[in-house]
Amino acid sequence: MVGVGTPPHLLVLTSDVSNAKRRVRVRAPELAGRGWLNTGGRSISLADLRGRITLLDFWTFCCINCLHVLDELRPLEEEFADVLVTIGVHSPKFVHEADPDALAAAVERYEVHHPVLDDPELRTWQQYAVKAWPTLVLVDPEGYVVHTAAGEGHAEALRRVITELVAEHEAKGTLHRGDGPYVPPQPRATELRFPAKVAVTRANTLLVTDSAHHGVVELAEDGETVLRRIGSGERGRADGAAGAASFSEPAGIAVLPEEVAEQVGYDVVVTDTVNHLLRGIDLRTGEVRTVAGTGEQWRNGDTDGPADKIDLTSPWDVAWWQPAGGVVVAMAGNHTIGLFDPVTSTVTRFAGTTVEGLKDGPAQEAFFAQTSGLAADGDRLWLADSETSALRWIEPAGDGFEVHTAVGKGLFDFGHRDGAADQALLQHPLGVAVLPDGSVAVCDTYNSAVRRYQPGTGEVSTLATGVAEPSGAAVIDGELVVVASAAHRLERPVPPGIAAQLVAGEAHQVRRPPSELAAGEVELVVVFQPPPGQKLDERYGPSTRLEITSSPPELLVAGAGVDTALSRRIVLADGIAEGVLHVVAQAASCDDGPGVEHPVCRLTRQDWGVPVRVRPEGPSRLALVMGGVDEHGAGADQDVPGAK
């Protein structure tokens, strides 16, 4: 049976023999959407791309995994510049992401240097039967889908497949080299460009992470007068003097207590997000040094140890929190909370398991979802959990710490609604600050609003609207200063004494077409083909692992749990109409072939969250592609939050 949800035009499969192996050939559907960016106003069709290798990147700009993929693709785009055309297909998750101006801003903010198709109605998404972010689809020079990869970490596999395609189509005479269709937009000059976070120094000045300018700016108390810039303005990771040091999209910033700063020799910790580093800044000299991270993104392995030996993953914000005894780090890249001790120069995992979701309880068992904002207030550490549109907090409990949720329902529910906290809704908040009266200001980013939560009453209200993507905030002299990121400035949108308003907005849900499956027995298959030149690594036992659970748990009558095979028979309950299958798969592979003395080995791991609708006449097979091609449908049916 064909993979679930495969469009009719993908049902006709042909095959040929290439490199001594069978390759499924499926004609790539046409590209359709609302419009194009980075093309000089021109639309692009598949016919325009004939003779080139095309890589479709299905993404949405809220998704940290999608942002990782943008950076993973940059070296490939440079290496294969004359044969490879990357097309970003933007398919929004949140309502705000469907705004064309917001998308244009995101394309600039994240330095997307390839054409982007704006697909707010998910037309191309559905034609390729994609169901989650990020998904990568390779189309060969003759217009056939030849490889699919879901999630992140596939750069080396793509490099090998592209290399094979280049050789194959040069031999056939079907490869045409030349420039691609990318047309860079006109740059715009502003003092700040997509600033991210703000902190108040002991001298009562403001430090702002100037993300798209790859630096840190110190402003006077007025929030406008530039006192100095730290960073060269170029993307990089060099330590050194203020004018020579470099960052890559810095975000979070925290001022250390004076006594700690004296011990360690720097005053400020900055999350160098794309470099996966923490950087320290000496405010007396402006000198920058790397204080934590290796520069490599964490994928698996140690999370505790010497700060310069532990990989980090997209640290997004930082806050000094005395009960934890150090700098708490929002590790957005793997949905955990880290702890950096500047005095001992160590990093540990403070909270979270790497599972994306909303689950309270003991800190080490809690689930987070791309935590992007932190604010300390005595015994409470407030968190903005962006992907669950949630406001949460951590506090000491017994010998450990406990996680609680103030506002938020989970990965799929969002909106702009005030009132009782258990009914209130946010939309992808990125920042949080504690106000002088003890209430909590939330940068409700995708609602372009500043919200307030009052811990004493559990009420949520709206303090200001019309703030362009607020992403961070701080209080200076009793007044709230907000980073209006998409307006490229700091604002004071809440005048003293203003009365909060109440908004009874609509509730929204992330709605992707669910995978329709039959009640009863279903074959669940995870497709994984090692990249060219590699084989599964079975030297120490089984090379694969598959874990399956569900929400609600009653959805799975049988088949839950862990096994080593990448296919399994599961049984879905007849009386439950909808739910989510949670699937975690991994596969170990190593270089193979003559002359390979020291093989390079890789662990590919993928998390899926698959919305399913159970109906009597539904299909009885679900294929999830971790890498390669599904011969039942070219790997087109997949749902990957972990990915998303």
Side-chain angles (χ1 to χ4, degrees), residues 63-114:
C63 162
I64 190 65
N65 311 92
C66 300
L67 302 185
H68 289 165
V69 167
L70 289 176
D71 291 308
E72 290 172 3
L73 295 183
R74 296 185 203 277
L76 285 178
E77 292 174 290
E78 183 176 350
E79 180 180 352
F80 297 101
D82 62 339
V83 295
L84 177 68
V85 174
T86 301
I87 302 289
V89 182
H90 188 266
S91 310
K93 171 183 175 181
F94 289 99
V95 170
H96 176 72
E97 293 174 297
D99 183 319
D101 292 335
L103 173 58
V107 168
E108 179 190 350
R109 180 196 300 261
Y110 298 118
E111 298 184 15
V112 180
H113 292 165
H114 53 247

Side-chain angles (χ1 to χ4, degrees), residues 221-393:
E221 187 179 350
D222 62 9
E224 297 179 359
T225 304
V226 175
L227 301 178
R228 61 172 162 172
R229 293 183 176 275
I230 299 172
S232 66
E234 300 296 323
R235 187 188 292 268
R237 53 172 292 186
D239 289 342
S246 54
F247 302 83
S248 186
E249 298 178 29
I253 188 164
V255 177
L256 297 176
E258 188 170 8
E259 63 276 13
V260 175
E262 289 177 356
Q263 290 185 67
V264 299
Y266 54 90
D267 304 276
V268 174
V269 175
V270 175
T271 63
D272 196 1
T273 303
V274 174
N275 280 328
H276 310 293
L277 298 172
L278 300 183
R279 314 291 290 280
I281 300 177
D282 184 339
L283 291 181
R284 294 167 300 178
T285 64
E287 185 173 353
V288 178
R289 71 182 78 174
T290 299
V291 298
T294 65
E296 297 297 320
Q297 181 187 346
W298 181 92
R299 296 199 184 279
N300 197 33
D302 292 338
T303 58
D304 300 0
D308 62 346
K309 304 297 184 186
I310 300 297
D311 296 340
L312 310 180
T313 175
S314 294
W316 206 275
D317 201 8
V318 279
W320 175 270
W321 191 37
Q322 191 61 46
V327 177
V328 180
V329 186
M331 214 74 75
N334 65 1
H335 316 296
T336 64
I337 310 296
L339 181 65
F340 167 58
D341 186 334
V343 176
T344 62
S345 191
T346 56
V347 171
T348 56
R349 179 173 294 170
F350 179 67
T353 67
T354 77
V355 174
E356 182 182 21
L358 193 153
K359 176 185 172 184
D360 293 338
Q364 296 293 329
E365 301 172 14
F367 296 169
F368 300 91
Q370 207 171 303
T371 306
S372 300
L374 300 171
D377 182 31
D379 281 347
R380 284 192 174 183
L381 178 73
W382 293 97
L383 308 92
D385 236 12
S386 62
E387 282 296 284
T388 52
S389 297
L391 172 66
R392 308 174 74 185
W393 81 87

Side-chain angles (χ1 to χ4, degrees), residues 40-51:
R42 174 188 168 207
S43 296
I44 298 174
S45 69
L46 286 179
D48 299 326
L49 303 172
R50 192 62 57 88

Side-chain angles (χ1 to χ4, degrees), residues 391-598:
L391 172 66
R392 308 174 74 185
W393 81 87
I394 303 176
E395 63 185 5
D399 294 332
F401 294 87
E402 194 88 9
V403 179
H404 306 268
T405 297
V407 181
K409 298 181 181 299
L411 286 166
F412 303 104
D413 295 275
F414 63 95
H416 188 164
R417 178 186 289 166
D418 290 326
D422 61 351
Q423 298 299 313
L425 294 170
L426 310 170
Q427 185 181 182
H428 198 80
L430 292 179
V432 62
V434 179
L435 297 172
D437 65 357
S439 62
V440 181
V442 180
C443 294
D444 194 6
T445 309
Y446 286 3
N447 281 324
S448 298
V450 179
R451 312 284 293 282
R452 180 172 68 186
Y453 170 72
Q454 295 177 299
T457 64
E459 292 292 312
V460 176
S461 55
T462 297
L463 292 173
T465 56
V467 184
E469 294 192 9
S471 61
V475 174
I476 183 168
D477 293 334
E479 191 174 10
L480 185 68
V481 176
V482 177
V483 180
S485 187
H488 317 293
R489 62 177 181 255
L490 300 186
E491 295 182 358
R492 288 172 162 85
V494 187
I498 190 172
Q501 57 182 305
L502 296 178
V503 175
E506 294 183 3
H508 301 284
Q509 278 200 326
V510 176
R511 297 302 296 175
R512 293 165 283 163
S515 295
E516 294 191 338
L517 294 174
E521 193 171 273
V522 171
E523 181 189 17
L524 191 153
V525 178
V526 173
V527 177
F528 177 73
Q529 299 165 6
Q534 287 204 329
K535 67 175 183 179
L536 289 173
D537 179 15
E538 297 180 334
R539 292 172 298 169
Y540 308 109
S543 59
T544 58
R545 180 182 185 275
L546 179 64
E547 180 178 357
I548 304 175
T549 56
S550 68
S551 300
E554 296 77 21
L555 175 66
L556 268 179
V557 176
V562 179
D563 203 346
T564 57
L566 290 183
S567 63
R568 189 181 307 177
R569 296 281 177 176
I570 63 175
V571 178
L572 300 181
D574 194 5
I576 298 179
E578 292 186 343
V580 178
L581 290 175
H582 303 282
V583 182
V584 181
Q586 65 183 42
S589 58
C590 293
D591 288 342
D592 184 37
V596 177
E597 295 183 15
H598 304 289

Side-chain angles (χ1 to χ4, degrees), residues 18-74:
S18 173
N19 299 319
K21 66 182 180 184
R22 180 176 184 270
R23 175 178 290 155
V24 175
R25 287 169 61 81
V26 177
R27 179 67 69 179
E30 191 51 83
L31 305 174
R34 178 168 58 188
W36 288 84
L37 294 87
N38 287 352
T39 64
R42 174 188 168 207
S43 296
I44 298 174
S45 69
L46 286 179
D48 299 326
L49 303 172
R50 192 62 57 88
R52 308 293 293 277
I53 300 166
T54 302
L55 176 60
L56 302 179
D57 174 17
F58 291 86
W59 71 300
T60 186
F61 64 77
C62 73
C63 162
I64 190 65
N65 311 92
C66 300
L67 302 185
H68 289 165
V69 167
L70 289 176
D71 291 308
E72 290 172 3
L73 295 183
R74 296 185 203 277

